[in-house]
Amino acid sequence: DTEVTQTPKHLVMGMTNKKSLKCEQHMGHRAMYWYKQKAKKPPELMFVYSYEKLSINESVPSRFSPECPNSSLLNLHLHALQPEDSALYLCASSQEASGVPDTQYFGPGTRLTVL
Amino acid sequence: AQKVTQAQTEISVVEKEDVTLDCVYETRDTTYYLFWYKQPPSGELVFLIRRNSFDEQNEISGRYSWNFQKSTSSFNFTITASQVVDSAVYFCALSEAGSGGYNKLIFGAGTRLAVHP
């Protein structure tokens, strides 16, 4: 089973709203990722959690706040977003062995629209 | 610096045609991994293949085949007898071996494939 689930599938929010995106995997993977994808562009890495610790923050604005409550769950808290933050947000996970990049498996994504 | 180039922005074919998607990569590392992902209109990135830099054997999986050539830094993807369901954006990606329990993928710009009936 290589399933990563994401909720919600679609989200529309105003610039003053606070919302959260959720991601879940039950494959025993120890690395989880958030990507942002604009239309007709490749995914851009935002954050990486490895063994529930934030390992990479790709200079993402503080209005995006990641959280990894446990090894199966990954959240992305959104606050005071801008219209240019509208995009597809993808979650991924991978089972990492030391020094060997494992395959990242992606969820279906959340399509976010900021009004 | 690492880089992945997919020079073909869009390809349009008629069903049953064979089509090859090109991928050229740059890296200074001797150990690295290459991937292909498919992204249908629904949005999910679907993993297709992972290849490490020490394995230059070509691979075939049904109608899909991959040609890895280190001499030209290319990892091309061929779909034989294309079908409408193959219509999607295809991404080639590069990852370096490293420590830390995670990896970073460097994506190409993607190739949009349209297969017409």
Side-chain angles (χ1 to χ4, degrees):
Chain A
D1 184 10
T2 56
E3 186 177 66
V4 177
T5 59
Q6 289 186 245
T7 56
K9 288 187 177 180
H10 301 273
L11 178 62
V12 179
M13 61 186 290
M15 289 189 284
T16 58
N17 292 157
K18 286 184 180 181
K19 296 287 185 182
S20 296
L21 309 184
K22 296 185 185 300
C23 173
E24 189 168 5
Q25 58 88 12
H26 294 289
M27 296 177 280
H29 289 176
R30 303 314 301 267
M32 296 187 76
Y33 310 75
W34 279 116
Y35 288 85
K36 174 183 178 179
Q37 187 179 23
K38 301 285 280 186
K40 298 191 176 183
K41 296 289 186 182
E44 296 177 24
L45 183 64
M46 300 175 71
F47 302 103
V48 180
Y49 273 84
S50 175
Y51 295 88
E52 300 163 49
K53 292 184 180 178
L54 184 63
S55 298
I56 294 180
N57 176 341
E58 293 285 22
S59 303
V60 179
S62 59
R63 57 185 184 269
F64 295 91
S65 176
E67 178 195 20
C68 189
N70 60 56
S71 59
S72 300
L73 291 174
L74 185 65
N75 298 322
L76 186 62
H77 302 299
L78 315 173
H79 175 54
L81 294 193
Q82 303 297 310
E84 58 264 30
D85 296 322
S86 298
L88 178 68
Y89 288 84
L90 293 160
C91 174
S93 70
S94 63
Q95 173 70 310
E96 301 295 338
S98 178
V100 180
D102 202 354
T103 300
Q104 291 184 29
Y105 294 95
F106 286 80
T110 294
R111 289 196 184 275
L112 174 67
T113 302
V114 182
L115 301 177
Chain B
Q2 290 182 301
K3 186 180 179 181
V4 175
T5 301
Q6 294 181 257
Q8 303 151 308
T9 305
E10 294 189 22
I11 300 176
S12 182
V13 299
V14 177
E15 219 172 8
K16 297 186 183 178
E17 282 187 40
D18 297 347
V19 57
T20 295
L21 283 62
D22 298 333
C23 174
V24 174
Y25 61 92
E26 296 176 28
T27 180
R28 287 174 290 185
D29 289 327
T30 55
T31 301
Y32 52 89
Y33 292 75
L34 295 163
F35 300 80
W36 275 96
Y37 285 88
K38 172 183 180 181
Q39 188 173 38
S42 60
E44 179 176 355
L45 265 77
V46 178
F47 165 70
L48 296 178
I49 190 170
R50 170 176 175 254
R51 173 70 67 206
N52 74 57
S53 52
F54 297 107
D55 183 2
E56 288 194 70
Q57 272 197 323
N58 292 330
E59 182 156 338
I60 298 175
S61 176
R63 297 184 295 108
Y64 295 171
S65 62
W66 290 269
N67 183 0
F68 177 30
Q69 292 196 341
K70 286 180 76 171
S71 60
T72 57
S73 297
S74 65
F75 187 41
N76 296 337
F77 173 32
T78 297
I79 301 175
T80 303
S82 60
Q83 300 176 2
V84 173
V85 293
D86 296 326
S87 297
V89 180
Y90 291 85
F91 290 100
C92 180
L94 168 68
S95 178
E96 285 183 331
S99 59
Y102 59 86
N103 70 87
K104 289 184 68 172
L105 287 175
I106 309 300
F107 284 95
T111 297
R112 183 176 299 274
L113 174 65
V115 181
H116 303 284

